[in-house]
Amino acid sequence: MARRRGRGRVYLVGAGPGDPSLITVRGQTLLKEADVVVCDVLAPAELMDMAPASAERVLVGRGGRRRLDQGAINRLMIARARRGLRVVRLKGGDPNVFGRVGEEAESLVRARIPFEIVPGVTAALGAAAATGIPLTHRSHASSVAFATAQTGSGKAPGGIDWGGLARIDTVVLYMGVRRLEGVVRGLMEAGRSPATPAALVRWATRPEQRLIRGTLGTIAAAARRKGLDPPAILIAGEVAGLGRRLDWFARRPLAGRTIVVTRPRDQSAALADRLRDEGARVIEAPSIVLRPPISSGPLDRALERLGRYRFLVFTSVNGVTRFFERLAGRGLDVRELAGVSIVAIGPATAAAIRSRGLRVAAIPEEFRAEGLLRVMGRRRVRGARILIARAAQARAILPRVLRERGALVDVVPVYRAVLSREGWADVRRALSDGGLDLLTFTSSATVKYFMAKLRGREASKARRIPAAVIGPITARAARQSGLRVIAMPRNYTIDALAEAIVRRFRNSPSGTPRGS
Ligand code: SAH
């Protein structure tokens, strides 16, 4: 990471309130070019994935792996910037709202390190958006204050001008959970009625968001009764009684659900994003990661003589991606495929082929090996050379049946699946807390590897959690492992799977989905 001197710079970036997609475009651009990311506990840790793999990652603050005090954080940033590195300092919400950005920027000025401040969506705005509680309102509130219950010394509220605050229509209090009683007392003693509506929002905009409504008189007891922990903010004022019908966040069909996605990382995004959009908390725990085959010899030999084949069969998007990567790597291109009919096992695979400017000769109605055999046609298969480019450990049925029908079949591995433990600690934790609502599987291999990683009593716990699967073969594998399949789409695609899951959970506000 040797960088040119003079290029070193520190970016104090607002990471937004919790949902990682609420960072600004500028913030995201800087993250993608970062050499070092220094992340606060309140900033969404997922954002660190946006930085290049080679970037140094430092988690600071309570619960962070490194407990650095403010001085140590400043020294670390300065030292890196002096080496010519681009340092992104990710702060929860906005850096200028109770973010101590002033102190950090001062030390950068003293050290003559160039810096930039990038704003972010502060927790108050995130909480308002994700609860439907407006901070101002034409008939209820024309002023709003952001205040903190924590004064400079870190002592109980004393330095707060309660009289002044109580005159503002809407008061949003940061860092208030531990001092809630004192805060509401302060406002009431300064003249606000105990009947003033109040709302507490914990982890605003994150899937685990919680909302407690009450009044200044009742909210502290409610928070205690419900065991509300930080981070949360208090919204007090007439507006806190509004928004019940605007609570789009909690009404999303998968709100409050925790779902495990076992699909390999490079393909899981589509499914995980769909489920998140519907409100789910998604644990991405890819059962397998994809690696190049042990030997690329068979693939390379096939690539050198593509013109000999009548059919080229792809059974997955990964197969397509890796096949064409290797083709280009050998200095060849799609012209080698002139005269070869390309067959895809499903619409996603077909789309991957078409995106390379190639026509797909056939897609079976049924997205499995059996369906493929049907569309290729008995007559055309006899005596034909067929190349199947796919995973190293795929099922044997397709080549076997094609050979039985007189075809000359070459099966070449274009990638291989290897066990992965990514995200596994989260799965384990959720399993032992009893906080999992659904497992999802998109192939029989993901079922097999998922079950293989479970230890002792975990397997019986996992069997009590409903599973959604992409198609009948995966369903069979799941059932054989003792899992209970509650959703399977009619079309064996990721989109259809996501829809089937939503349908299953919709109108079943709590507990297990209907009919399970
Ligand atoms: N700079 C941050 C605030 C840091 S102070 C911002 O602009 O949001 C830390 C306090 O912010 C927490 O104690 C809590 O009161 C509040 N906070 C931060 N993120 C929050 C979230 N997602 N949900 C609720 N409160 C949050």
Side-chain angles (χ1 to χ4, degrees):
M1 272 202 301
R3 290 276 187 161
R4 257 186 313 122
R5 267 188 169 309
R7 198 172 162 275
R9 190 173 288 223
V10 175
Y11 299 91
L12 302 160
V13 176
D19 175 344
S21 67
L22 289 176
I23 191 171
T24 61
V25 173
R26 176 74 182 143
Q28 179 177 15
T29 305
L30 291 169
L31 263 179
K32 285 185 177 157
E33 294 169 356
D35 300 309
V36 184
V37 184
V38 182
C39 185
D40 252 14
V41 264
L42 277 184
E46 296 94 328
L47 284 176
M48 291 210 274
D49 293 344
M50 281 184 190
S54 60
E56 179 188 6
R57 290 159 165 80
V58 186
L59 206 57
V60 297
R62 271 173 301 127
R65 251 167 277 140
R66 293 167 74 164
R67 288 166 165 272
L68 298 185
D69 61 19
Q70 193 60 55
I73 296 170
N74 295 349
R75 284 193 295 278
L76 180 132
M77 296 195 296
I78 291 167
R80 300 295 191 277
R82 286 213 169 112
R83 275 166 42 199
L85 302 175
R86 295 161 69 91
V87 180
V88 169
R89 170 84 171 104
L90 273 182
K91 317 268 298 180
D94 181 274
N96 279 307
V97 180
F98 309 124
R100 307 177 86 173
V101 74
E103 295 165 46
E104 291 183 13
E106 278 296 336
S107 76
L108 297 172
V109 171
R110 275 195 302 276
R112 295 170 193 275
I113 303 288
F115 67 91
E116 178 180 325
I117 301 175
V118 181
V121 176
T122 188
L125 304 185
T131 57
I133 296 176
L135 296 181
T136 62
H137 191 282
R138 268 205 303 169
S139 32
H140 301 287
S142 58
S143 60
V144 53
F146 295 171
T148 173
Q150 195 151 17
T151 48
S153 61
K155 300 250 167 62
I160 299 173
D161 172 11
W162 292 113
L165 266 189
R167 280 191 289 280
I168 309 285
D169 296 327
T170 305
V171 178
V172 184
L173 267 149
Y174 287 66
M175 291 181 274
V177 175
R178 304 237 186 271
R179 300 185 161 78
L180 208 51
E181 329 254 298
V183 162
V184 293
R185 198 177 337 111
L187 286 171
M188 290 189 294
E189 282 172 2
R192 288 306 276 259
S193 154
T196 306
L200 272 167
V201 192
R202 175 170 195 257
W203 277 133
T205 74
R206 291 199 65 90
E208 53 269 48
Q209 173 176 309
R210 278 184 75 188
L211 168 63
I212 300 179
R213 288 174 179 273
T215 64
L216 281 183
T218 63
I219 196 92
R224 219 177 324 113
R225 201 171 53 244
K226 298 190 175 172
L228 190 86
D229 292 319
I233 57 173
L234 175 75
I235 306 177
E238 291 307 314
V239 292
L242 306 175
R244 279 177 209 275
R245 283 189 302 155
L246 308 180
D247 192 3
W248 60 274
F249 193 88
R251 289 179 195 211
R252 293 171 302 167
L254 300 180
R257 307 288 185 177
T258 301
I259 300 180
V260 176
V261 170
T262 56
R263 198 166 164 76
R265 189 58 133 180
D266 41 348
Q267 322 164 317
S268 70
L271 179 60
D273 287 349
R274 277 292 310 273
L275 299 175
R276 282 193 191 104
D277 280 351
E278 304 293 350
R281 172 180 165 235
V282 176
I283 301 179
E284 283 182 77
S287 300
I288 47 188
V289 287
L290 305 183
R291 300 253 185 273
I294 298 204
S295 161
S296 294
L299 173 59
D300 290 347
R301 280 193 293 281
L303 292 176
E304 298 294 342
R305 341 168 264 189
L306 283 176
R308 306 198 315 169
Y309 295 101
R310 185 175 302 163
F311 290 106
L312 167 57
V313 180
F314 289 106
T315 60
S316 70
V317 174
N318 284 309
V320 175
T321 312
R322 288 168 195 250
F323 178 92
F324 286 103
E325 271 168 17
R326 189 80 192 174
L327 186 71
R330 309 275 299 169
L332 303 169
D333 64 32
V334 293
R335 284 171 294 183
E336 306 294 325
L337 288 167
V340 182
S341 294
I342 304 178
V343 181
I345 201 160
T349 308
I353 295 165
R354 290 194 192 104
S355 76
R356 287 171 168 77
L358 294 165
R359 194 165 51 82
V360 178
I363 314 171
E365 260 166 48
E366 213 187 335
F367 308 133
R368 337 183 241 166
E370 292 77 356
L372 258 183
L373 290 173
R374 216 162 296 136
V375 296
M376 289 168 75
R378 197 176 291 272
R379 258 182 324 129
R380 295 193 63 210
V381 163
R382 184 163 305 281
R385 274 189 190 279
I386 300 177
L387 176 61
I388 305 177
R390 64 178 195 179
Q393 310 94 323
R395 292 192 315 146
I397 176 163
L398 178 61
R400 197 185 67 226
V401 179
L402 286 170
R403 282 184 190 121
E404 280 167 13
R405 294 185 181 189
L408 302 160
V409 184
D410 290 337
V411 181
V412 298
V414 289
Y415 63 93
R416 120 190 102 93
V418 179
L419 229 75
S420 160
R421 295 211 167 265
E422 221 187 301
W424 195 247
D426 291 337
V427 173
R428 252 214 176 118
R429 208 169 306 125
L431 261 183
S432 74
D433 297 349
L436 279 186
D437 296 286
L438 185 73
L439 306 171
T440 63
F441 297 103
T442 52
S443 68
S444 35
T446 55
V447 175
K448 191 173 94 195
Y449 294 126
F450 182 86
M451 296 307 286
K453 281 189 286 184
L454 296 169
R455 281 197 304 238
R457 293 195 25 241
E458 286 172 347
S460 51
K461 282 190 179 159
R463 290 194 182 98
R464 286 200 287 274
I465 296 163
V469 299
I470 195 150
I473 293 175
T474 311
R476 196 189 322 138
R479 291 196 184 103
Q480 278 168 359
S481 298
L483 293 167
R484 193 159 49 91
V485 175
I486 60 142
M488 181 176 89
R490 206 163 298 152
N491 276 354
Y492 315 145
T493 66
I494 291 300
D495 261 358
L497 174 60
E499 260 159 50
I501 293 170
V502 168
R503 220 175 306 124
R504 217 38 225 262
F505 280 99
R506 182 171 279 149
N507 306 328
S508 119
S510 63
T512 45
R514 276 173 298 144
S516 60

